[in-house]
Amino acid sequence: MERPLPDTTTTTTPTPPEVDRVAASRAAVAARRARATVKADVASGARSPLDVLRVAYEEPEGVEGRIRVPEFLTSIPAIGATKSTRIMTELAIATSKRLGGLGRLQRRRLRDFVADWVADHGGTGDRLVVLAGPTAVGKGTVASYIRRHHPDVRLSVSATTRPPRPGEVEGEHYFFVDDASFDRMIEAGELLEWATVHNAFRYGTPRRPVEAAIAAGNSVLLEIDIQGARSVRRAMPEATLVFLLPPSWDELVRRLVGRGTESPAEQQRRLETARVELAAVEEFDHRVVNHDVGEAAQKVVDLMRPRKGRR
Ligand code: 5GP
């Protein structure tokens, strides 16, 4: 006997139980509210749009990541619907896109655009600027240049357990402390961030001078390693992170191994470290290429100046 074929022409979607639907709609309302709060904070200036982008890129499915690009752009003061459409066309981003759904290049284009926009339209310089970059890129040299040529820039003086090098002055280049003192500073919460650098000595940023300078309306520059930059970002999300890049990979290799004093194994280890460190560039707000120390220093200092009329 022939059995009837199952009917495949009509399929019924099972209705979710009432309790699930209520929960889902509550969650949707809460998510919409959370997104509205983010946009309101950007609109009022309470939150930097760069910080929103950073969180959206880190957590594409989080509150920030689920905001649509046009909604994000129009929450930035002085960007209206027309401007937002033009900007999206220029950046080649479809209006339906959410921040978390952007491709790698779109992310970068949007971030660069927002960084420039904030730079041109903000009223004051960035309060806390962190200069970091891979080993041997020359951030110490850029910081020394700033110390000599821009005496008005406040450079944070770190504490370190490393002994002083010839010519280094206590309280100017570093506060040189022993291990016990460094432990005490950590325990007392006196450090904004700290890290063990090159598996050797510990370095940390004293918290109080940074907070006092910012409270007084001044800007502060920190020249620290990449781990430290990440910690500052966690502790103070409004900080601006600047990544110093070498002119090319070959040039970095030359600077790393050029002296010829390290064994081939040590050279290899350093190159590997530099490769990993270079990948961190994506986490930073600005990139400055160190072709020329004076020019690189100027670009960093520019970020700390009041914005109007800035290049
Ligand atoms: P140096 O011993 O050559 O002066 O510095 C070594 C490394 O320590 C550099 O990469 C420098 O950026 C980093 N550094 C200096 N001060 C601090 C600090 O306060 N915190 C962190 N995390 N790194 C620092």
Side-chain angles (χ1 to χ4, degrees), residues 102-210:
L102 297 175
R104 209 172 67 87
L105 293 177
Q106 288 178 323
R107 284 180 174 206
R108 179 175 291 179
R109 284 201 296 271
L110 181 59
R111 197 202 32 215
D112 288 351
F113 167 81
V114 173
D116 284 349
W117 179 274
V118 170
D120 290 342
H121 295 79
T124 58
D126 293 350
R127 290 281 176 248
L128 181 57
V129 176
V130 177
L131 178 65
T135 313
V137 75
K139 49 189 192 305
T141 317
V142 171
S144 301
Y145 187 96
I146 293 174
R147 192 180 283 116
R148 266 183 284 122
H149 294 87
H150 300 276
D152 56 316
V153 169
R154 275 150 228 266
L155 253 156
S156 157
V157 179
S158 299
T160 181
T161 57
R162 145 166 105 57
R165 294 186 188 127
E168 283 184 334
V169 178
E170 163 75 14
E172 184 182 327
H173 296 94
Y174 283 106
F175 295 108
F176 297 98
V177 299
D178 58 17
D179 269 309
S181 305
F182 203 92
D183 285 342
R184 194 196 51 70
M185 292 171 99
I186 296 173
E187 257 164 51
E190 289 175 18
L191 299 177
L192 180 61
E193 62 75 37
W194 68 271
T196 302
V197 179
H198 299 319
N199 294 325
F201 299 106
R202 289 184 291 172
Y203 297 78
T205 306
R207 180 191 297 276
R208 192 130 11 101
V210 172

Side-chain angles (χ1 to χ4, degrees), residues 284-300:
F284 284 63
D285 303 309
H286 298 273
R287 285 176 284 269
V288 170
V289 179
N290 190 12
H291 289 291
D292 172 86
V293 171
E295 264 173 41
Q298 187 63 52
K299 287 196 173 129
V300 174

